[in-house]
Amino acid sequence: MKLLSDHLPVPGTGRFRGTLRGWPMVILFLGFYTVAFIDRQVITMMVKPLQEQLGLSEFQISLLMGPSFGLFFAVCGLAVGGLVDRHSRRWLVTLATVLWGIATCLCGLAGNYAVMLLGRMGVGVGESALTPAAHSLIIEQFPRERLSTALASYSLGAVIGGGLATAIGGAIVHLVEDADPVSIGALGSLQPWQLVFLAVGLPTILMAPLALLVREEDKAPEARSATRGSASSVGAFLRFCMTRPGLFFGLPLAFGLLNIITNAYAAWTPTFMVRTYGWNIAEVGLAWGVQHIVAAAIGQIGGAMLVDWLYARGMRDAHVRYQWWGVLIAVPINIVALLSGNPWVFLVLNAVYYVLCYPFLGYAIAALQLHTPAPLRGRMSAWFIAVITMMGTFVGAPLTAWLTQSVFVDKALVGWSLVVVSAGLAPLVVLALVLVGRSIRAMDHAGGETA
C-alpha cells in the first residue's frame, strides 16, 4: 500500500502554459461554475411559460430539469475523467464551455419539446468536463489540510449560479411573460422565455477563452501514453475502487441519496412558493435566490473549514460525520418549513437545509481524493459526480412530479410531494453515511493514511 503522501503532487519540471494558479485559479473556475449553474438552473423559473406555450405536463418539465441533462452529464463525465488525466485540462474546459453555451442558446431557439430536450442534453455534455478538470488542477496545488476549503470555494459557483438563476431569471421571466414575441432577423419571431436562454447562453460562449489563462504543466507524449496504458484505464480504476469499496462506492451512493432530496428542492421550490403563497415568480426569485446564496455560501465555506479543522485534529471521518448530523438536523426542520403555510417562516427554516446539507461537494470530493493517486484523480471526480448526478436528476425532480401528478393529483400539493421525498430518503442518507464513516475509520485503524 502506498502512503497518501506518495499521492500528493510533485512540482513538475516540464514546460508550463498559462499564468493563473492557486487562489486566482480557484476564483476563475468559480466564475465558470457560476455561469454553468445559471445555464443549468434557469429553466426552473420557466415552468409556467413552458407549460402554457409548449403544452408540457409536470412530468415532461421534470425530464427537462433532470434526466435530459443528468444522463448526458454523468455518462460523458465518466469519459471526460480519463481525458482529464491525459490531456490539457484548460483546453478541455475551453471547448466544453463553448459547447454548453451553444446548447443553452439552442434551448432558446426551441419551438418544440424535442429540440428543448436536445438542448438540455447538450448542456449536460458540455458541463460534464468542467468540474473534473477544475478538481484535478485544484488538488495539485493545495495541501490536504486545506483541500476541502479550496474545493468548496470552487463549488460556491453552484450556490451563486443557482441563486442568480433564481433571482435574476425570475425577475426577467416575470417582466417579459406577458410581452409579445420579438422578431430577431434570421432567427425569426422568438417568445420572451426563449430570449432568456439566449441572454445567458451567449455570454457563456464569450468567456470560454479565459480558461486558457490557467497554469498547467504540458503533458509530454510519453507521459500521456504511459498514463493511457496503465492507471487511467477503466479496469485499473475499478480495481483501485475495489480495494476500498466502502469508501469509493459507498460515499458516492450516500451523497447521491442526499442529492435526490437536494434536486427535488432545487427543481420545485420556486413552483411550490408560487402555488402555495400566491407570489409571482419575480418575488419568489428574489426572496429565495437571496436566501439561497447567503445560506448556502455560509454552509459551503463554513462547513468545509469546519471539516478541515476536524480532520486536521484527528477525526478521519469528519467529511461524512459532519454531513449525517447535518441531515438529522436540517431535513426535519425543512419539513416543518414546507408545512408552515407562511412564506417567511419557510424561507428562514429552509435556509437551515442550505447551510447544513446543500454545499457538500467540496468536502465529499476531498474525502475521496485524499485516498486517490494522482493518475486517477480526474476519473475519481468524474465517477463521484456521475453517480450523484444520475441519482439526483433521475429521481429528485421526476419523483416529486409523479407524486404531485399521480398520487396527490393536485398541483397545489407539490409541497406534500417534497415532504414525502424528504421523509422517505433522509433515514437512508444517514444510514449510508454512518456506514461510510465506519469504513473510513476501519481504513485509518488498519493502515493509517493509506489508499
Side-chain angles (χ1 to χ4, degrees), residues 164-431:
L164 290 177
T166 302
I168 298 176
I172 294 174
V173 170
H174 176 68
L175 287 173
V176 303
E177 63 182 349
D178 295 323
D180 295 327
V182 178
S183 180
I184 305 182
L187 298 179
S189 181
L190 297 178
Q191 295 291 338
W193 64 266
Q194 294 176 297
L195 297 177
V196 176
F197 279 111
L198 293 175
V200 298
L202 290 173
T204 300
I205 299 172
L206 296 176
M207 78 174 293
L210 293 176
L212 297 178
L213 296 174
V214 171
R215 188 173 188 261
E216 71 170 346
E217 185 178 3
D218 281 352
K219 298 178 184 290
E222 59 272 18
R224 291 198 300 268
S225 177
T227 304
R228 183 182 301 115
S230 57
S232 69
S233 71
V234 175
F237 176 75
L238 291 176
R239 287 192 297 273
F240 174 74
C241 289
M242 286 304 298
T243 63
R244 302 293 185 187
L247 174 62
F248 297 119
F249 293 106
L251 188 138
L253 174 63
F255 280 98
L257 289 168
L258 179 58
N259 205 37
I260 293 174
I261 301 174
T262 298
N263 268 260
Y265 292 165
W268 289 107
T269 293
T271 302
F272 159 76
M273 294 186 70
V274 169
R275 294 175 182 175
T276 303
Y277 307 130
W279 288 13
N280 64 49
I281 197 65
E283 293 170 329
V284 170
L286 179 60
W288 193 60
V290 171
Q291 177 254 55
H292 178 86
I293 291 175
V294 173
I298 292 171
Q300 189 83 263
I301 301 302
M305 292 177 68
L306 178 58
V307 167
D308 278 342
W309 184 82
L310 292 171
Y311 178 82
R313 281 153 181 78
M315 186 184 288
R316 291 309 188 224
D317 64 344
H319 303 80
V320 293
R321 185 182 293 264
Y322 171 83
Q323 192 60 83
W324 84 58
W325 279 109
V327 173
L328 286 172
I329 295 169
V331 172
I333 289 175
N334 199 58
I335 290 174
V336 173
L338 290 164
L339 300 178
S340 68
N342 184 297
W344 301 108
V345 171
F346 170 79
L347 286 169
V348 172
L349 297 182
N350 176 253
V352 177
Y353 183 88
Y354 282 91
V355 171
L356 295 178
C357 295
Y358 176 76
F360 61 76
L361 189 59
Y363 47 83
I365 286 285
L368 291 176
Q369 296 289 3
L370 285 168
H371 301 277
T372 302
L376 292 176
R377 287 192 178 124
R379 197 177 292 272
M380 185 60 74
S381 285
W383 162 245
F384 177 81
I385 293 166
V387 173
I388 67 167
T389 300
M390 289 282 282
M391 294 178 68
T393 58
F394 268 72
V395 182
L399 176 59
T400 306
W402 176 79
L403 289 168
T404 303
Q405 187 171 301
S406 302
V407 177
F408 294 109
V409 199
D410 185 348
K411 290 183 177 181
L413 297 180
V414 64
W416 277 101
S417 300
L418 292 171
V419 168
V420 171
V421 171
S422 305
L425 288 170
L428 297 178
V429 175
V430 173
L431 175 61

Side-chain angles (χ1 to χ4, degrees), residues 70-157:
L71 174 63
F72 288 84
F73 180 89
V75 172
C76 293
L78 289 172
V80 167
L83 296 177
V84 166
D85 291 328
R86 297 196 301 269
H87 298 289
S88 170
R89 292 156 289 184
R90 64 198 196 112
W91 271 106
L92 281 173
V93 172
T94 300
L95 297 175
T97 305
V98 171
L99 175 58
W100 94 63
I102 291 174
T104 302
C105 292
L106 179 62
C107 292
L109 300 176
N112 56 61
Y113 188 60
V115 177
M116 180 67 74
L117 274 173
L118 182 63
R120 292 292 291 170
M121 292 172 187
V123 174
V125 173
E127 290 192 17
S128 68
L130 174 61
T131 294
H135 283 174
S136 178
L137 287 162
I138 292 169
I139 290 162
E140 287 179 353
Q141 299 189 30
F142 289 87
R144 59 178 179 267
E145 293 82 5
R146 295 169 57 200
L147 189 55
S148 292
T149 302
L151 291 173
S153 298
Y154 159 74
S155 297
L156 271 175

